[in-house]
Amino acid sequence: MSGKRVKGKVFVQPIIHGSVSHWLGPNSDQFKSHHWFVYVRGLANEDLSYLIEKVEFKLHETLPNPIRSIKQPPYKVEDHGWVNLKS
């Protein structure tokens, strides 16, 4: 992209956001029972860095660094813990 604004045109870029978690089983630590991640991405996993300066994820306040800013793709935060994800 040239970085110039164009008047009178409509630009459409689908963006997907979501979360995924996996239970680690009955022998996992009570406070680390799931592997999880949250993400923002393009519809076909295309590079959105020309469009997105940063993505800020607000996580549960009990997690270390509950507000995490990701400034380059992949726009994703991944960790272990008990889980209650909302995207």
Side-chain angles (χ1 to χ4, degrees):
M1 300 218 67
S2 67
K4 294 181 182 181
R5 292 183 180 254
V6 178
K7 288 185 177 184
K9 299 289 180 182
V10 175
F11 175 78
V12 177
Q13 174 62 61
I15 296 175
I16 297 174
H17 67 93
S19 60
V20 176
S21 67
H22 300 283
W23 183 50
L24 299 176
N27 296 326
S28 62
D29 181 292
Q30 174 184 356
F31 299 105
K32 293 188 176 183
S33 60
H34 291 74
H35 173 251
W36 58 262
F37 62 90
V38 292
Y39 61 90
V40 173
R41 64 176 177 84
L43 186 62
N45 278 332
E46 62 272 27
D47 182 4
L48 298 176
S49 60
Y50 70 93
L51 179 64
I52 297 176
E53 184 176 324
K54 75 175 177 178
V55 175
E56 192 168 88
F57 294 97
K58 184 177 179 185
L59 306 172
H60 195 274
E61 61 271 359
T62 59
L63 291 169
N65 306 314
I67 298 176
R68 303 188 197 178
S69 293
I70 309 299
K71 295 183 178 180
Q72 59 189 19
Y75 303 106
K76 178 178 176 181
V77 173
E78 189 168 1
D79 210 334
H80 291 83
W82 59 272
V83 71
N84 184 11
L85 298 174
K86 298 176 188 173
S87 58

